[in-house]
Amino acid sequence: MAEIALRGVRKSYGKTEVVHGVDLDIAAGELVVILGPSGCGKSTLLRMVAGLETITSGEISIGGAIVNRLEPRRRGCAMVFQNYALYPHMTVAENIGYSLKIAGLSRAERRARVGKVAASLGLTEFLERKPGQLSGGQRQRVAMGRAMIREPRVFLYDEPLSNLDARLRVAMRVEIRKLHQRLATTTLFVTHDQVEAMTLADRIVVMNKGVVEQVGTPQDVYNRPESTYVAGFIGAPGLNLLHGIADSDQGVVTLRDGQRLAFDRARWPEIGHGPVIAGFRAEGVMLAAGGLTGRFDFAEELGAAQLIHATIAGETVIAHVAGATRLAGGEPVSFAVDPAQVQLFDASTGRRLAGENGAAQPAGLDIRDFAAV
Amino acid sequence: MEKRATFSNLWLAAALIAPQMLLIFVFFYWPSGEALYWALTLEPPFGGDNEWVGLLNFRTVFEDPKYWNSVRISITFAFFATTLSLGVAAVLALFVDRRLPGHQVYKFTFFLPYALAAPAVGLAFRFIFSPDAGFVSAVNRFYPDLWNPALDGYDAFALVVMAQAWTMVGYNFIFFLAALQSIPRTVNEASAIDGAGVLRRMWDIQLPLIAPTLFFLIVINITDSFVNSFGIIDIISGGGPARATDLMVYKIYTDGFQGKDYSLAAAQSIVLMVLIVVLTFVQFRYIERRVHYS
Amino acid sequence: MIERTPILDFLTHALLVLSFVALLMPMWIVFVAATHDFHTVNQVPMPLLPGGHFFENLAAAWERGNFGRVMVNSLVVALGITGGKIVIAALSAFSIVYFRYRLRMLMFWLIFITLMLPLEVRIVPTYAVAADALRPFQGMLDFAGFSVDLPEWNLLNSYSGLILPLIATATGTFLYRQFFLTVPDELTEAAKMDGAGPIRFFLEVLMPLSKTNMAALATIMFVWSWNQYLWPLLVVTDHQNYATATMQLQKIVPGPLFGEPPVWNVAMAANLIVMFPPVLVTILLQRWFVRGLIQTDK
């Protein structure tokens, strides 16, 4: 167990910088998920912690010691790769025990420890097989076994579940979480899947284009996104975002077509009169006359509910509505939005506008809201 | 491997394949069949149809100590040239694959010798290693007559082995490097995280993973040393001195075209063909094995 | 990867530089020898730096080796073999992969087997066929009991004799076949839906997709054909008109053409001339050459 600290970490390939200065502290025993779309620099960041990529500038320390120039094998990290990276010519037992062999442990000791790890992962009967003869889920477990057996200070996972089918992915997610509860090893987990991030993480780091957008608990990033980027990325669907002019005296945002959307004036008394982006969850919208009116586009059927897509002031708004509606394309709809759930973002930077007592958020986190689309 | 979507115009299919079939019939199957016919017959001294003699030609061949000399030399030649070029190429590929600064230069130059014609290589080596001019002759200054491939069979043999190995190093290098680069980067990284240093990784991970390529290359190299070496032998030594470099292909050539004994040459060709076919089948067994890795 | 292995790095560089020198040294010596006069090149040890007689030697070699003529011959032969292979192999691979007929597998194996036996091991009978290309058919007619006399078609001392037997192997066919098998079925189906017949599909879909494979095949075949040695040696007796460049090497040392004791400086200049085209092709088209190598033999 060790804490990890990143200070101003940058990475460039030639002239293109892909990670633009990341600061991050991870406490010992914490499970932190780095979440972002592909190409956002999240894997690069992880690989820099592992020592697989050099660090262009900045500092990375593990357990209080700077590791910038330390070789991967001296960092005490174990890593699980997306394609598992098992040694194809070795048996499962040899794969898991390879690091012990290098460390010079006796054959008997190796066998004992491999046996123990394999048993805890349900791999005992496969020990003599080669990776080519295993299913995806079994390979995944071998990769985890290979990481576990070293009793590392830090676990690094690089999108380990993305090659599995949906069912297995859920099962492995649970296993990883359990493993972490049992071993309490500091863990850094990279994924592009927000459901995975939400369900696994103690804290989530949302990255975009080489920059950390937000660091926070799953509740934080869902309820209090720091930027429109995070707002749109987290949740299925993401936050509805509408451009307009805010007026804190009246507590309304005037949309482009002149309609007015009310917000909690008490939380943003200071913003005065200016362009903002207003955001609210699809779950905070009801079909009711007298609200924002727009044009109905279509409905996505979820079974127990529907996602109603509509165009309001030229922008798309999605409402999560229980039951069935019978609307035809092009018909007018009216949405009522709870003012307490409206959040405001700076129109030019996309950053969240700090409001007073902003912590007060009514919506509880419901895991079902993240069901994969 | 079958296509689901196919066309059904059979006349067209026949027309498309006809040129190829015609060529291989005329220049491959017919001659190969004729080789067998010649090997089993003898041309009468005063003309007329060939006379059926069964395995007589083979018996003549197998009873000739010069033939066994040639077989022995071919096998030794194949062994040394193959081992030398594969060994050097594997080491070079492993170290070039470390991708230290400048590795692109090697990637670009190491395979060049393979682009050269065998007789051109032969001529170059003949000059460089000539006993009285060129480059290596300097040793004779200090130890007179130490090196003379024109007179000493061992020297000549060593010289043709070197020339053959030199041309094949580049070829083998390319295949080894391609095999190394097809190992997923993460496998190497995983072993680095598991604690393996550079040399340990070469031994434990990279070498076993390029083993299938190695088996494949062994067959290619042996075949090449039987076949392509003709140009090297012809230019450097002409099979001499005293038949010290008289490889099987070269003997077929001299018996058939200088000695004009087609039947004897045909019988030897058949033996060589069988040898190469057997080698190729061995190779296929390993290709099958290779599939298991992926 | 972060790896701190200064000693090993040093050794790696040393090994690679040494090998670099060792592998290119022969070519360098050939070049150096080609730049000195007769006296200097026969010194022991010979100099390692080039002298000033390069163009003189080249001119002499060009003259004595009749290179004005044989280079053209080699070029015609190499281009003929390359072009022939590319076209014939594409057609036959198309037939094998995209049509379904009963003899397909037989054809496949018949072509496949030719991969195993290079021309060198069956030179004697192939030579006999080259002396009369209609001989196989005559043989079949005789066997079938027809007493028809076909005319003799002698390929010795002709471009067709140099080219055709060397096209008769399966290297290219297999390269195309492997590639065609990776072309998705959906593409063929889409072309059929759009109303394309087999010829149109072949010319307008398959061939443009095969461009890189063709380039690779062409590069490798050119070098391979240029470097052919044994076959031209047999087929050509009319050296004045049909000799190829590689053949001239046999006459260089010690030989009537270049004198005895060997005139090494001129011989090495001649060697450079022979080496030059394939080396140029591999350097310029390095990518294709390497790709072709790996694909044709797998």
Side-chain angles (χ1 to χ4, degrees):
Chain A
M1 257 214 278
E3 71 278 9
I4 304 174
L6 281 70
R7 294 279 168 271
V9 171
R10 289 171 185 275
K11 176 73 190 178
S12 320
Y13 295 103
K15 281 192 179 127
T16 36
E17 194 174 76
V18 292
V19 174
H20 310 290
V22 169
D23 292 283
L24 189 62
D25 280 290
I26 296 158
E30 199 177 13
L31 196 165
V32 169
V33 174
I34 306 179
L35 173 67
S38 61
C40 73
K42 56 187 191 302
S43 280
T44 311
L45 200 64
L46 189 80
R47 293 166 53 82
M48 284 195 279
V49 174
L52 299 176
E53 300 281 351
T54 54
I55 299 158
T56 308
S57 74
E59 263 175 31
I60 294 179
S61 56
I62 298 174
I66 293 176
V67 296
N68 278 28
R69 302 196 60 203
L70 221 51
E71 297 185 6
R73 53 179 165 162
R74 309 205 185 285
R75 294 192 181 196
C77 300
M79 184 153 167
V80 178
F81 294 85
Q82 177 173 7
N83 60 3
Y84 318 134
L86 301 179
Y87 311 124
H89 57 300
M90 297 186 191
T91 63
V92 168
E94 287 166 337
N95 261 286
I96 297 178
Y98 184 56
S99 59
L100 303 183
K101 187 174 167 192
I102 292 175
L105 266 63
S106 74
R107 188 180 294 262
E109 197 170 346
R110 254 152 48 201
R111 185 173 309 159
R113 276 177 64 182
V114 169
K116 225 161 98 184
V117 167
S120 77
L121 290 165
L123 287 171
T124 310
E125 55 184 309
F126 305 112
L127 279 177
E128 292 315 312
R129 296 224 192 141
K130 297 247 171 100
Q133 300 159 285
L134 300 179
S135 71
Q138 289 161 345
R139 287 183 212 185
Q140 163 72 49
R141 272 201 282 269
V142 177
M144 282 176 56
R146 189 171 63 179
M148 280 162 62
I149 201 161
R150 303 183 45 216
E151 297 172 359
R153 297 192 295 168
V154 175
F155 270 125
L156 305 171
Y157 291 92
D158 189 4
E159 309 220 18
L161 307 180
S162 54
N163 283 359
L164 299 176
D165 63 44
R167 221 165 36 167
L168 215 48
R169 199 149 57 208
V170 175
M172 287 310 294
R173 209 157 72 199
V174 174
E175 283 195 44
I176 290 176
R177 185 72 225 181
K178 277 190 192 153
L179 181 72
H180 182 253
Q181 266 163 4
R182 184 153 58 86
L183 304 175
T185 308
T186 315
T187 301
L188 212 50
F189 188 106
V190 160
T191 181
H192 62 265
D193 180 346
Q194 49 146 334
V195 185
E196 226 165 85
M198 285 288 181
T199 49
L200 275 174
D202 293 329
R203 280 193 302 154
I204 295 179
V205 177
V206 184
M207 280 188 76
N208 180 34
K209 294 180 181 159
V211 175
V212 171
E213 293 270 344
Q214 182 169 5
V215 182
T217 62
Q219 293 278 352
D220 274 346
V221 291
Y222 181 76
N223 289 325
R224 291 178 45 80
E226 285 296 336
S227 64
T228 50
Y229 177 78
V230 178
F233 193 71
I234 304 280
L239 212 63
N240 291 306
L241 296 169
L242 293 173
H243 288 80
I245 310 292
D247 183 341
S248 56
D249 295 340
Q250 298 181 37
V252 290
V253 176
T254 310
L255 304 182
R256 284 167 176 172
D257 65 351
Q259 296 196 68
R260 289 148 65 97
L261 172 68
F263 63 88
D264 183 358
R265 188 163 46 136
R267 283 172 60 199
W268 285 281
E270 305 284 321
I271 56 168
H273 195 82
V276 293
I277 299 170
F280 49 91
R281 289 271 162 213
E283 293 77 13
V285 183
M286 282 187 303
L287 275 180
L292 296 174
T293 55
R295 195 185 69 236
F296 171 76
D297 292 325
F298 62 92
E300 276 184 83
E301 190 60 62
L302 298 178
Q306 281 184 325
L307 292 178
I308 309 261
H309 291 243
T311 307
I312 294 175
E315 295 178 285
T316 301
V317 173
I318 302 172
H320 184 274
V321 179
T325 44
R326 296 187 192 286
L327 289 163
E331 261 182 69
V333 282
S334 177
F335 287 160
V337 181
D338 176 4
Q341 295 213 24
V342 173
Q343 321 185 33
L344 296 181
F345 300 88
D346 187 307
S348 52
T349 63
R351 302 302 299 176
R352 179 187 188 79
L353 289 171
E356 288 179 2
N357 64 8
Q361 272 296 330
L365 181 62
D366 183 345
I367 216 67
R368 277 168 306 177
D369 298 341
F370 299 102
V373 241
Chain B
M1 291 270 258
E2 290 277 320
K3 281 274 174 197
R4 185 180 68 221
T6 53
F7 297 98
S8 50
N9 186 338
L10 294 189
W11 284 111
L12 182 63
L16 289 170
I17 205 169
Q20 172 105 54
M21 297 317 286
L22 207 60
L23 275 179
I24 63 174
F25 169 70
V26 171
F27 293 108
F28 187 90
Y29 283 102
W30 185 268
S32 301
E34 207 160 25
L36 197 60
Y37 173 70
W38 282 353
L40 298 173
T41 58
L42 265 180
E43 205 176 354
F46 303 107
D49 280 349
N50 276 20
E51 196 183 323
W52 183 266
V53 294
L55 295 177
L56 179 68
N57 288 316
F58 288 99
R59 206 171 305 141
T60 318
V61 166
F62 289 140
E63 277 168 3
D64 183 358
K66 289 200 286 276
Y67 182 71
W68 288 109
N69 171 61
S70 160
V71 171
R72 189 178 53 80
I73 285 173
S74 293
I75 291 174
T76 340
F77 178 75
F79 174 79
F80 282 110
T82 302
T83 318
L84 186 61
S85 66
L86 282 175
V88 171
V91 170
L92 291 183
L94 280 170
F95 282 93
V96 168
D97 191 50
R98 291 194 64 205
R99 301 177 206 197
L100 297 183
H103 74 277
Q104 296 283 0
V105 178
Y106 305 117
K107 234 164 101 176
F108 177 67
T109 45
F110 281 176
F111 74 92
L112 273 182
Y114 186 68
L116 304 180
V121 172
L123 187 58
F125 272 67
R126 176 159 179 180
F127 168 64
I128 294 163
F129 289 89
S130 119
D132 40 27
F135 193 62
V136 177
S137 51
V139 298
N140 288 344
R141 269 280 170 85
F142 303 104
Y143 305 95
D145 293 327
L146 178 72
W147 173 260
N148 193 344
L151 292 177
D152 185 318
Y154 289 108
D155 289 357
F157 186 77
L159 177 51
V160 292
V161 165
M162 272 189 283
Q164 169 73 13
W166 184 72
T167 48
M168 289 307 281
V169 161
Y171 179 85
N172 297 331
F173 170 78
I174 285 184
F175 276 86
F176 279 135
L177 197 63
L180 285 170
Q181 287 175 347
S182 72
I183 298 175
R185 192 171 61 151
T186 49
V187 168
N188 283 322
E189 291 173 346
S191 73
I193 289 179
D194 269 347
V198 176
L199 297 177
R200 180 86 194 233
R201 190 157 70 236
M202 286 177 184
W203 186 252
D204 282 353
I205 310 289
Q206 291 173 317
L207 270 181
L209 288 181
I210 61 173
T213 304
L214 176 70
F215 292 127
F216 155 80
L217 284 176
I218 286 176
V219 175
I220 294 280
N221 275 261
I222 293 177
T223 316
D224 195 270
S225 81
F226 282 168
V227 171
N228 198 40
S229 53
F230 176 85
I232 292 176
I233 301 289
D234 190 42
I235 295 283
I236 290 188
S237 64
R243 296 187 179 273
T245 56
D246 194 16
L247 296 189
M248 286 156 86
V249 169
Y250 200 75
K251 191 167 185 313
I252 294 173
Y253 167 75
T254 43
D255 287 357
F257 290 94
Q258 282 162 11
K260 297 284 179 208
D261 191 338
Y262 283 4
S263 291
L264 216 54
Q268 294 180 45
S269 291
I270 298 282
V271 177
L272 188 55
M273 283 184 197
V274 170
L275 202 63
I276 289 180
V277 168
V278 167
L279 270 174
T280 315
F281 275 115
V282 171
Q283 176 200 334
F284 276 117
R285 302 254 350 191
Y286 284 114
I287 282 181
E288 268 172 45
R289 257 184 65 167
R290 176 161 60 173
V291 179
H292 283 292
Y293 276 172
S294 51
Chain C
M1 227 183 303
I2 296 178
E3 268 169 346
R4 308 223 294 143
T5 48
I7 298 172
L8 189 63
D9 286 1
F10 174 77
L11 290 177
T12 304
H13 282 301
L15 173 84
L16 292 179
V17 169
L18 264 173
S19 317
F20 179 81
V21 171
L23 277 174
L24 295 191
M25 195 59 145
M27 291 196 232
W28 175 251
I29 295 176
V30 169
F31 169 70
V32 171
T35 61
H36 287 289
D37 58 19
F38 179 75
H39 175 72
T40 322
V41 85
N42 280 304
Q43 277 177 358
V44 175
M46 68 166 273
L48 272 178
L49 292 175
H53 299 268
F54 185 49
F55 293 102
E56 210 173 295
N57 291 335
L58 272 187
W62 188 270
E63 175 87 9
R64 283 193 236 176
N66 192 18
F67 279 108
R69 172 80 203 193
V70 301
M71 292 295 269
V72 173
N73 286 344
S74 272
L75 193 69
V76 170
V77 169
L79 290 179
I81 294 174
T82 308
K85 272 234 183 187
I86 287 183
V87 173
I88 289 173
L91 295 178
S92 58
F94 181 56
S95 174
I96 287 178
V97 174
Y98 278 98
F99 292 85
R100 195 154 298 167
Y101 44 95
R102 219 176 305 158
L103 294 176
R104 201 171 59 109
M105 281 325 273
L106 177 70
M107 300 285 181
F108 172 77
W109 282 106
L110 283 177
I111 297 178
F112 187 70
I113 287 171
T114 64
L115 273 184
M116 284 193 230
L117 296 176
L119 186 63
E120 280 83 349
V121 302
R122 50 190 163 85
I123 35 169
V124 182
T126 312
Y127 175 79
V129 169
D132 179 7
L134 297 179
R135 185 190 161 96
F137 303 101
Q138 182 73 61
M140 287 201 303
L141 287 175
D142 292 348
F143 187 74
F146 295 100
S147 53
V148 183
D149 276 332
L150 293 173
E152 197 169 280
W153 184 25
N154 189 336
L155 293 178
L156 303 182
N157 293 316
S158 73
Y159 287 133
S160 20
L162 284 165
I163 293 171
L164 291 179
L166 291 170
I167 300 182
T169 60
T171 350
T173 315
F174 280 83
L175 182 71
Y176 281 115
R177 176 179 173 268
Q178 300 299 53
F179 172 69
F180 288 170
L181 287 175
T182 67
V183 173
D185 275 330
E186 288 76 8
L187 206 59
T188 322
E189 285 164 345
K192 280 172 138 181
M193 302 279 282
D194 286 342
I199 296 179
R200 189 171 269 269
F201 172 71
F202 177 72
L203 290 177
E204 291 178 4
V205 180
L206 224 41
M207 284 300 101
L209 285 175
S210 314
K211 261 190 215 147
T212 52
N213 289 289
M214 272 194 247
L217 183 62
T219 319
I220 200 99
M221 284 328 300
F222 180 85
V223 172
W224 180 81
S225 354
W226 184 279
N227 289 344
Q228 283 304 313
Y229 178 62
L230 176 55
W231 185 247
L233 218 51
L234 297 178
V235 181
V236 175
T237 46
D238 177 1
H239 289 247
Q240 202 52 41
N241 290 315
Y242 288 104
T244 62
T246 45
M247 284 173 66
Q248 299 304 82
L249 295 173
Q250 201 191 34
K251 303 173 200 151
I252 286 174
V253 273
L257 230 59
F258 286 85
E260 204 163 358
V263 190
W264 285 116
N265 51 338
V266 180
M268 289 300 121
N271 207 1
L272 279 184
I273 295 173
V274 176
M275 288 172 172
F276 183 69
V279 167
L280 186 73
V281 165
T282 40
I283 288 179
L284 291 182
L285 302 173
Q286 192 217 154
R287 211 154 54 90
W288 302 124
F289 182 76
V290 170
R291 179 199 277 247
L293 259 192
I294 289 176
Q295 285 176 344
T296 46
D297 271 328
K298 261 188 179 167

